[in-house]
């Protein structure tokens, strides 16, 4: 009998399992994805086909882009640059292998029992495991954590065929650079993977149903970044809804609706990135008592407890942003609670990052949300064009924006479009966890020259005290 069985070995599940074991609980982690030998491969979407391979390709493609011309700005001329896509892919695959192997090592070091097979929660905190050879085993556990993750949404208008209509996994594995690439959805995946292939030479068109670009981001950041993506060659068509596609021998023809007219385009490859859906199919029996919420996620409270005692659910399979760090943090919280400790998670401060170039990152509320909440706020901004370090590294696009409470000056949101945006937001986030005001950041010493100084100056600018810009609104 286990104390805990975790179903799913992604960043939510494997972190939960390690934490449970560290807290003295007898723990197993069950994963259905396995290698040719039938050994479970841990890491989930994030390590295998998500965060890590996409960031590897973003980095490689950016280096290729820089070598092709941008380095000339530094007085470095390197002549003809050639792309070796197979080596680029190989590097990415090796990073994935190293990291997924590393997780197996971590589970072993932490005495978590690895289990291979597909899990289903039965009544009475039992887990039914269907193995690769179709045999079935039933294990008992005092607690179960469901961390089965999510999968790409497939739409009728463009069904995946693994050839020329693919999801994000297919777009991480093209063997050749498509001459023309259509991307359905200007969300996080569309922008990141669209950027990768545009830098490698594809003519990329992104078809987005909504009129608002990046509706979840601060409007000003979204507007500024849209201008920059267009400059980078991404043809982003807003207010354009895919309605059908026609598979040809070596291409895909699509029809989309824009301003009440039907437009057509043809691409060598089409990536459909219109969101992800929780993996809830056949994950629990009806008599287990677990229920789904109105959006199809496993229904949980703010402690990730399902409505069945001792059954928990974390990560992409439950409400909230589908982000690796959100799932991992939920895993740690649940482990602590199962071990009898008090734990909670601050859902107000989950950071978001889009790893384009420049990056887009934010935490807390944006202006639109503050207005909707009828909260009075102050704004401080600082452009990277006025940062010495940003100019030195040839990355002076974008700005830092801080929103603070009009009366108390407590920081309510930080939004960055520019170099190291993710790291800058992370610094702000730490201060926000301690209830910082913009004045607190203004009174903090920042190393010079760093791009982080833009955070310092934006904080000073909230109260019209910035040094390196005029203090009128930008
Ligand atoms: P998953 O990582 O999906 O893991 C679930 C695991 O459970 C899988 O391994 C699956 O095989 C297994 N499983 C499912 N059902 C069963 C079952 N019945 N029995 C046994 N095993 C089962 N997030 C970020 O924070 N930063 C990023 O930069 C980022 N980039 C991304 C890029 C791409 C292209 C994609 C697709 C996603 C990206 N994400 C990113 C999102 C991130 O990958 C997910 O939020 C994260 O992986 C969710 O973790 P999870 O553990 O909940 O689920
Ligand atoms: P998304 O929700 O970010 O974006 C999907 C987009 O597709 C939306 O803008 C939507 O309006 C549009 N869309 C939907 N149907 C459409 C249609 N028929 N025609 C045209 N456009 C349509 O989803 P995405 O990009 O698939 O990513 C899924 C999730 O993966 C993200 O929500 C995020 O949580 C996670 N992720 C996180 C990353 C990060 O943290 N950097 C990177 C990649 C993914």
């Amino acid at each position: 009998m286990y104390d805990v069985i975790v179903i799913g070995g992604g960043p939510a599940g494997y972190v939960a399992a390690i934490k449970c074991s560290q807290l003295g609980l007898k723990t197993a982690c069950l994963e259905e994805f396995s290698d040719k030998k039938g050994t479970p491969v841990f890491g989930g979407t994030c390590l295998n086909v998500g965060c890590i391979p996409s960031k590897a390709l973003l980095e490689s493609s950016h280096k290729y882009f820089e070598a092709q011309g941008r380095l000339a700005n530094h007085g470095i001329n390197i002549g003809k640059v050639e792309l070796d896509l197979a080596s680029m892919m190989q590097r990415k695959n090796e990073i994935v292998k190293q990291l997924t192997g590393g997780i197996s090592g971590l589970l072993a070091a932490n005495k978590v029992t690895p289990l291979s097979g597909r899990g289903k929660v039965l009544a009475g905190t039992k887990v039914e495991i269907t193995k690769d050879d179709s045999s079935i085993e039933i294990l008992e556990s005092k607690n179960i954590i469901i961390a089965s993750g999510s999968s790409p949404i497939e739409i009728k208008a463009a069904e995946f065929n693994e050839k020329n209509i693919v999801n994000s996994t297919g777009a991480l594995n093209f063997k050749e650079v498509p001459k023309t690439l259509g991307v359905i959805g200007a969300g996080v995946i569309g922008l990141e993977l669209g950027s990768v292939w545009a830098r490698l030479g594809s003519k990329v068109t992104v078809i987005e149903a909504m009129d608002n670009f990046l509706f979840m981001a601060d409007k000003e950041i979204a507007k500024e970044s849209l201008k920059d993506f267009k400059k980078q060659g991404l043809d982003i068509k807003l207010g354009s809804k895919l309605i059908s596609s026609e598979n040809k021998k070596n291409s895909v023809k699509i029809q989309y609706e824009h301003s009440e007219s039907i437009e057509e385009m043809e691409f060598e490859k089409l990536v459909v990135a219109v969101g992800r859906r929780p993996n809830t199919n056949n994950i629990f029996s009806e008599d287990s008592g677990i229920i789904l919420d109105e959006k199809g996620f496993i229904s949980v409270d703010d402690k990730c407890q399902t409505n069945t005692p001792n059954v928990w659910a974390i990560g992409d399979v439950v409400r909230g942003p589908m982000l690796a760090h959100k799932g991992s943090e939920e895993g740690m919280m649940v482990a602590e609670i199962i071990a009898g400790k008090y734990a909670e998670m601050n859902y107000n401060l989950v950071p978001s990052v889009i790893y384009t170039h420049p990056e887009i990152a934010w935490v807390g509320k944006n202006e639109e949300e503050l207005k909707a909440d009828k909260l009075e706020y102050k704004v401080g901004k600082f452009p990277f064009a006025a940062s010495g370090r940003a100019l030195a590294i040839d990355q002076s696009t974008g700005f830092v924006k801080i929103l603070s409470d009009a009366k108390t000056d407590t920081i309510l949101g930080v939004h960055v479009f520019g170099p190291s945006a993710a790291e800058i937001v992370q610094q702000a986030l730490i201060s926000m966890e301690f209830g910082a005001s913009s004045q607190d950041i203004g009174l903090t010493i920042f190393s010079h020259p760093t791009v982080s100084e833009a955070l310092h100056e934006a904080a000073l600018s909230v109260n019209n005290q910035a040094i390196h810009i005029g203090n009128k609104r930008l």
Side-chain angles (χ1 to χ4, degrees), residues 177-183 194 197-206 232-237 265-269:
V177 178
K179 285 193 184 60
T180 51
L181 178 70
V183 179
W197 293 106
R199 292 169 194 166
L200 297 180
S202 287
K203 188 173 172 353
V204 177
T205 307
V206 187
Q232 293 176 28
L234 290 182
D235 180 8
I236 300 174
K237 296 187 186 301
M265 285 192 86
E266 198 163 330
F267 307 105
E268 201 177 309
K269 302 270 186 201

Side-chain angles (χ1 to χ4, degrees), residues 26 62 75 90 121 170 276 337 346-347 362 451 460:
K26 188 177 174 212
H62 184 64
Q90 170 85 2
V121 180
R276 296 177 61 84
I337 295 171
N346 185 357
Y347 283 98
W362 69 88
V451 286
L460 290 170

Side-chain angles (χ1 to χ4, degrees), residues 410-472:
T410 305
I411 301 172
L412 302 171
V414 176
H415 306 265
V416 184
F417 173 52
S420 303
E423 313 294 340
I424 293 174
V425 160
Q426 193 62 48
Q427 297 171 35
L429 196 159
I430 295 170
S431 77
M432 289 164 82
E433 278 288 2
F434 292 93
S437 63
S438 74
Q439 200 183 15
D440 290 326
I441 294 191
L443 289 169
T444 305
I445 301 173
F446 282 69
S447 305
H448 176 74
T450 54
V451 286
S452 301
E453 285 171 301
L455 178 69
H456 186 222
E457 289 277 356
L460 290 170
S461 139
V462 170
N463 296 308
N464 288 323
Q465 292 166 353
I467 301 295
H468 292 93
I469 41 163
N471 278 312
K472 58 184 171 6

Side-chain angles (χ1 to χ4, degrees), residues 240-258:
S240 300
K241 188 163 188 274
L242 180 78
I243 47 173
S244 66
S245 64
E246 190 186 327
N247 218 336
K248 303 206 152 193
K249 196 165 166 239
N250 291 313
S251 65
V252 188
K253 197 173 190 179
I254 64 157
Q255 287 79 39
Y256 63 93
E257 197 180 328
H258 176 72

Side-chain angles (χ1 to χ4, degrees), residues 55-96:
K55 267 76 245 177
L57 289 185
L58 278 159
E59 188 62 25
S60 299
S61 61
H62 184 64
K63 287 201 185 313
Y64 177 68
F65 168 78
E66 286 205 306
Q68 275 189 317
R70 192 84 195 177
L71 289 181
N73 288 354
H74 296 262
I76 303 170
N77 295 312
I78 48 177
K80 192 166 182 289
V81 179
E82 279 179 25
L83 173 68
D84 177 355
L85 185 61
S87 297
M88 198 179 274
M89 290 294 177
Q90 170 85 2
R91 172 185 175 273
K92 173 207 63 160
N93 295 340
E94 277 164 13
I95 294 168
V96 168

Side-chain angles (χ1 to χ4, degrees), residues 7-14 30-33 41-52 54-55 117-120 147-152 168-169 172 188-189 192-193 276 279 281-283 314-317 321-327 353 355:
I7 300 179
Y14 82 74
L30 171 65
E31 172 55 56
E32 67 172 333
F33 182 46
V41 176
F42 294 99
T45 303
C46 175
L47 266 62
N48 289 290
V49 291
C51 325
I52 299 303
S54 61
K55 267 76 245 177
R118 184 170 170 76
K120 181 175 178 178
S148 52
S150 65
S151 303
S168 53
T169 303
L172 288 167
V188 197
I189 293 180
E192 289 189 357
L193 295 184
R276 296 177 61 84
N279 290 332
N281 200 9
N282 209 17
I283 203 91
I314 57 175
D316 281 12
V317 78
M322 288 179 157
L323 296 171
H325 43 278
K326 173 260 188 188
V353 183
Y355 294 86

Side-chain angles (χ1 to χ4, degrees), residues 403-414:
L403 306 171
S404 79
D405 185 281
K407 284 199 189 82
T408 64
D409 194 33
T410 305
I411 301 172
L412 302 171
V414 176

